[in-house]
Amino acid sequence: MSVNMGSIDRLLRVILGLALLAFAFFGPADIAWKWVGYIGVVPLLTAAIGWCPAYTILGIKTCKAS
């Protein structure tokens, strides 16, 4: 399992993950689909480890390292 995400990709995933979690915790209480915000954990985890399983399957690599 090697790193396959670049720094910009990781930063965007952190921003997206935090935004989704903020929606889950602080969004309007009357919305029935607030659970979707908890999906924000996935981009946060992939950004933290620098590896995306979907990138591996699709053969994508956004990091500059070999």
Side-chain angles (χ1 to χ4, degrees):
M1 186 167 85
S2 63
V3 174
N4 64 1
M5 292 183 352
S7 58
I8 293 174
D9 191 3
R10 291 172 87 170
L11 177 66
L12 292 174
R13 287 173 186 256
V14 168
I15 292 169
L16 176 67
L18 290 175
L20 284 169
L21 286 174
F23 173 73
F25 289 119
F26 305 114
D30 59 339
I31 295 178
W33 46 273
K34 275 179 70 168
W35 61 270
V36 171
Y38 295 112
I39 294 173
V41 171
V42 174
L44 284 177
L45 288 175
T46 57
I49 62 174
W51 180 75
C52 177
Y55 279 11
T56 303
I57 292 170
L58 298 173
I60 299 171
K61 194 170 196 176
T62 61
C63 65
K64 293 181 181 176
S66 60

